[in-house]
Amino acid sequence: ASGLPGACRSAARIQGRVTCLSALTLLGVFVLRADGVHAHVPRTASRLPAADASIRRVHRRRLIRRPHPDALMVEAIDAVADAVRCQPPRAAIATIDSALHLRVLRSDELDELSGELPARYRPLGALVDGRAESGGESLLRLIVRSIGCRVELQVVIDGVGRVDLLVDGWLIVECDSRGFHSEWSVQRNDRRRDLEAARRGYVTFRVIAEDVFTRPDLVREAVAALTSTRRSPR
C-alpha cells in the first residue's frame, strides 16, 4: 500500500516484521533514540534476502505472542521486550512507562514481560510507573531518585494544579518540552503557576526535556544542589 511506513517495507523485504524501537516509534511510545529499522525474523530463518541500508538490527528472539500471519509488526509486548535489551536501563524504564501510559502495554502483562527478560533486567520492574506522561518525565524521576530524594509523581497542589514531580515535599520539578511549551500562552500560564507555588512556599525548578536526554549529569547536579539547601517545610 502507498501509505505503508518505510520501516514495514524494509522489514518485509527480508521476510520479517518491524520490532523494538522501530515498532514502538510507530505506536507513539517513547524511545530515547531510534536509529534505523529493527526487524524480527524467525529463529530458524536462513538465506534471507539482502537487507537495505535502513536495517539497523535483526532480532531472532522467540516471540511471546504469535502475530497475525499478515502482520508486518510484532505484538507490542514483544516490541517492548526487544527495546529493553536495546537501550540503557533508564531509557528502558521510560519506554515501559510510556507503553503503560498509552495502554499499548497492559499492567497485567508486566510479570509476563519480566519473565521473558534476562535476570539482570528484572530489577527494573520495581522502578516502572505508568503515571508518567512523557519519557522526559520518567528519566527525570529516575535522576532525582538516584540522589536519594523522596519523589512524588503527578501531585495536585491547591491553587497550582498538577505538577510533574514533587521532591522532598517542597521542590516542584517540571520537565518542559518544545511540543507542549513553545506557545507564549502556555509559558505565561506556567509562570503564573510558579508564582502561586512560590506564594505557598514551594520552589519550582524547570528543566527542558532536551537536557534530561543529553545532559543528565548536569540536571542531577542541579537538583542535588537545590535539595541540599533546604529542608522540607512543616
Side-chain angles (χ1 to χ4, degrees), residues 18-25 27 29-31 59 61 63-64 73-87 91-100 103-106 109-110 112-114 116-118 121 124 128:
V18 181
T19 188
C20 197
L21 310 180
S22 305
L24 295 176
T25 298
L27 293 171
V29 175
F30 170 82
V31 296
H59 298 257
R61 180 183 56 82
L63 295 177
I64 304 170
M73 184 185 299
V74 301
E75 295 294 309
I77 189 172
D78 283 297
V80 173
D82 285 333
V84 169
R85 292 174 168 87
C86 278
Q87 297 186 101
I93 293 168
T95 291
I96 298 173
D97 282 357
S98 177
L100 288 171
R103 298 183 180 178
V104 170
L105 184 71
R106 302 192 312 271
E109 293 179 306
L110 286 178
E112 187 175 11
L113 173 65
S114 176
E116 291 292 326
L117 292 172
Y121 293 107
L124 302 183
V128 168

Side-chain angles (χ1 to χ4, degrees), residues 6-217:
C8 292
R9 293 178 184 274
S10 296
R13 288 192 183 103
I14 61 169
Q15 300 175 10
R17 295 181 172 90
V18 181
T19 188
C20 197
L21 310 180
S22 305
L24 295 176
T25 298
L26 291 175
L27 293 171
V29 175
F30 170 82
V31 296
L32 184 59
R33 194 173 294 108
D35 50 349
V37 177
H38 290 240
H40 177 274
V41 298
R43 300 174 70 180
T44 56
S46 61
R47 297 184 181 180
L48 297 174
D52 60 39
S54 68
I55 297 291
R56 174 70 174 178
R57 181 173 177 179
V58 176
H59 298 257
R60 293 176 179 267
R61 180 183 56 82
R62 180 180 62 85
L63 295 177
I64 304 170
R65 299 272 192 278
R66 178 179 296 179
H68 187 279
D70 295 332
L72 289 176
M73 184 185 299
V74 301
E75 295 294 309
I77 189 172
D78 283 297
V80 173
D82 285 333
V84 169
R85 292 174 168 87
C86 278
Q87 297 186 101
R90 287 180 182 173
I93 293 168
T95 291
I96 298 173
D97 282 357
S98 177
L100 288 171
H101 182 71
L102 296 173
R103 298 183 180 178
V104 170
L105 184 71
R106 302 192 312 271
S107 59
D108 61 4
E109 293 179 306
L110 286 178
D111 287 342
E112 187 175 11
L113 173 65
S114 176
E116 291 292 326
L117 292 172
R120 66 181 182 275
Y121 293 107
R122 291 171 189 167
L124 302 183
L127 301 175
V128 168
D129 194 322
R131 292 175 296 169
E133 296 184 342
S134 69
E137 184 181 316
S138 292
L139 292 172
L140 186 56
R141 180 186 82 244
L142 296 171
I143 290 171
V144 176
R145 280 179 58 97
S146 72
I147 302 170
C149 297
R150 178 169 56 88
V151 184
E152 299 173 79
L153 185 64
Q154 297 295 326
V155 177
V156 177
I157 299 175
D158 289 343
V160 178
R162 188 173 58 179
V163 301
D164 291 343
L165 305 176
L166 183 62
V167 181
D168 288 345
W170 64 271
L171 177 62
I172 296 171
V173 181
E174 300 272 27
C175 183
D176 294 346
S177 64
R178 182 176 181 179
F180 293 99
H181 296 269
S182 59
E183 296 292 332
W184 169 243
S185 60
V186 176
Q187 293 189 33
R188 180 177 58 190
N189 183 61
D190 287 341
R191 300 305 178 271
R192 286 176 173 167
R193 278 163 44 97
D194 296 348
L195 180 65
E196 180 59 27
R199 194 175 72 85
R200 293 172 179 265
Y202 295 93
V203 173
T204 302
F205 172 57
R206 290 188 176 273
V207 59
I208 59 174
E210 181 182 346
D211 286 339
V212 175
F213 300 151
T214 62
R215 302 197 291 176
D217 291 340

